[in-house]
Amino acid sequence: MDFKIIIGLILGIIIGILAASLIPAAAPAQQPQCPTSLDAIKKRGVLVLGTSADWPPYEYVEGGAVVGIDIDIARKIAQSLGVRLEVRDMKFSALIEAVRRGDVDIVLADMAITPDREKQVLFSIPYQVDSSVVIAKRGARIQNVEDLKGKAVGVQVGTVQEDWAVKNLGNFSKIIRYDKVYPYMVEALRKGDLDAIIVGGVVGKALVRRFPEFEIVMSIGVRYSAAAMPLCAQDLKIQVDRVIYDMLQTGEMERLINSWVEKWLYS
């Protein structure tokens, strides 16, 4: 899908969300103190980001530092708050619980909005619309779900790709779970230990450009990527939404994503 069409879809969704947010709400009942708030972040002088640095070009390790699309978005948010950014790298499957406990203030990890996750964390407006894709070696003769019968398929633990694989392939394929997509799951596909892997669309497109022996054989649905915060962190969400909305409106988000895709491909 063309990026400008994607941005239009996101902005349409955002306008509806922002309009709804202007409706006055009843005063909430007294609640326990939120583990994450704007006041706490500003007093501390640090925005603590949780991510999983194995999903290039969104987050990966380069020169001993975690870099990528989501890191730059988080840095932009930190700058808007007048604080510095601290990045904590962990397993993707641990991110939801980390932000719920307040161990991190915010999660940016190309995380898709799902009904189950919305019960556990507060999502920002989406900053990207993407699909999931199935990648295999060229000539593998995999074109549809039926072709994956009896095949070994790699997914990352805790992702929407894992959920899809369990639901659609669990009865007849060997689903192999990985904590890290890159390089471990990618290398397993290169060596032939896996017949296919399932990743996000932008990640998949970057992988097949970097590894010409791969090809995208299927696209699966639509997913919306957003930042995640504790359910109680409404004040932080307002600020995060403003930053993301401005980046989408000005074209900065498109430029950021494209530049990191190119950087990772040729690094």
Side-chain angles (χ1 to χ4, degrees):
M1 186 182 293
D2 182 82
F3 199 95
K4 288 183 173 57
I5 296 175
I6 290 172
I7 293 299
L9 289 172
I10 295 177
L11 290 176
I13 293 167
I14 290 169
I15 289 169
I17 293 170
L18 293 178
S21 70
L22 295 176
I23 300 172
Q30 189 68 27
Q31 298 291 333
Q33 186 174 3
C34 188
T36 296
S37 69
L38 281 182
D39 287 344
I41 293 167
K42 290 179 178 179
K43 184 176 180 179
R44 189 195 313 140
V46 178
L47 177 70
V48 182
L49 169 70
T51 196
S52 182
D54 63 333
W55 192 250
Y58 287 90
E59 40 270 329
Y60 62 102
V61 178
E62 181 180 80
V66 181
V67 298
I69 295 165
D70 285 328
I71 310 308
D72 277 4
I73 296 172
R75 187 169 290 110
K76 189 85 174 179
I77 295 166
Q79 289 171 353
S80 77
L81 297 173
V83 300
R84 66 180 179 86
L85 180 68
E86 177 184 318
V87 181
R88 295 185 184 175
D89 181 19
M90 59 189 73
K91 295 178 182 178
F92 186 89
S93 57
L95 290 171
I96 292 285
E97 188 58 29
V99 79
R100 287 183 64 193
R101 289 195 308 259
D103 294 343
V104 299
D105 299 315
I106 186 171
V107 164
L108 275 158
D110 190 26
M111 182 174 283
I113 300 171
T114 68
D116 181 62
R117 288 173 181 165
E118 285 184 306
K119 297 174 184 176
Q120 303 177 72
V121 296
L122 183 65
F123 280 107
S124 69
I125 57 175
Y127 59 88
Q128 180 168 271
V129 181
D130 196 11
S131 62
S132 295
V133 295
V134 179
I135 294 178
K137 284 189 174 180
R138 292 189 179 277
R141 296 182 180 179
I142 297 174
Q143 297 180 331
N144 52 49
V145 174
E146 288 295 311
D147 294 335
L148 290 171
K149 284 187 175 181
K151 299 292 195 297
V153 180
V155 294
Q156 185 180 37
V157 176
T159 60
V160 293
Q161 291 84 25
E162 180 189 24
D163 293 342
W164 183 90
V166 170
K167 181 178 179 180
N168 294 277
L169 307 176
N171 293 330
F172 52 76
S173 300
K174 183 178 181 181
I175 301 171
I176 303 177
R177 295 164 172 84
Y178 291 79
D179 286 325
K180 298 285 186 182
V181 170
Y182 184 83
Y184 306 124
M185 195 164 82
V186 172
E187 285 302 314
L189 180 61
R190 295 186 78 187
K191 292 190 297 183
D193 296 336
L194 294 172
D195 298 297
I197 62 174
I198 310 176
V199 297
V202 171
V203 173
K205 290 172 186 174
L207 286 175
V208 298
R209 287 176 63 186
R210 184 158 182 168
F211 302 102
E213 68 266 38
F214 294 166
E215 65 177 337
I216 294 173
V217 296
M218 291 171 54
S219 291
I220 305 164
V222 174
R223 47 190 287 275
Y224 297 87
S225 300
M229 295 151 279
L231 286 170
C232 54
Q234 291 287 347
D235 56 349
L236 179 58
K237 171 181 164 57
I238 290 170
Q239 184 64 23
V240 172
D241 285 351
R242 286 173 179 163
V243 172
I244 291 174
Y245 183 78
D246 287 346
M247 293 179 73
L248 290 167
Q249 282 276 52
T250 62
E252 184 177 359
M253 189 69 75
E254 179 180 3
R255 293 190 295 272
L256 178 68
I257 291 172
N258 289 339
S259 67
W260 273 107
V261 169
E262 292 301 313
K263 178 178 174 59
W264 184 72
L265 283 173
Y266 300 109
S267 62

